[in-house]
Amino acid sequence: GGVAPPISAAFVPVAKGKEHAAAVLARSDRWRVPRTAREANTGVVAYRNSTATSNLVAAWLAAYADLADASGFLMDQPAFRAALHATEAPHATLDETFNCRGHD
């Protein structure tokens, strides 16, 4: 096998079944994602300074603008999810202890 590309981002994933804006993503031709695509709690994200990460962030901004215009309101997690899927940026997940939500 080949060598895996370096990780572009690492994040604490949103719990299965608690993803945001699934209907907004499902209606988008450009930003549609499979139900299996991971959604990040974007309050804690570690990034590597790389071209792949720059592409991910640019796609995140574009997805946010497109999806917010289409829905009238959007949290940043669905746009990050769409960008992660669209760019295929290598990523890793962090343990949930890295994301203190305070109310869970």
Side-chain angles (χ1 to χ4, degrees):
V3 176
I7 300 299
S8 296
F11 54 84
V12 177
V14 170
K16 294 277 187 203
K18 299 212 177 220
E19 295 89 355
H20 303 89
V24 173
L25 292 170
R27 287 191 306 268
S28 173
D29 289 332
R30 181 175 181 193
W31 301 109
R32 188 173 296 130
V33 299
R35 293 204 177 270
T36 57
R38 299 306 305 257
E39 184 168 293
N41 281 310
T42 51
V44 175
V45 181
Y47 300 98
R48 177 182 306 274
N49 186 5
S50 69
T51 300
T53 304
S54 294
N55 293 340
L56 171 61
V57 172
W60 185 11
L61 292 171
Y64 186 86
D66 291 350
L67 295 168
D69 283 349
S71 67
F73 171 79
L74 187 73
M75 297 172 69
D76 60 329
Q77 291 95 332
F80 186 84
R81 182 180 184 196
L84 194 64
H85 178 70
T87 62
E88 299 180 345
H91 60 279
T93 58
L94 300 171
D95 186 78
E96 65 184 25
T97 57
F98 287 94
N99 190 43
C100 177
R101 294 175 47 91
H103 57 77
D104 289 344

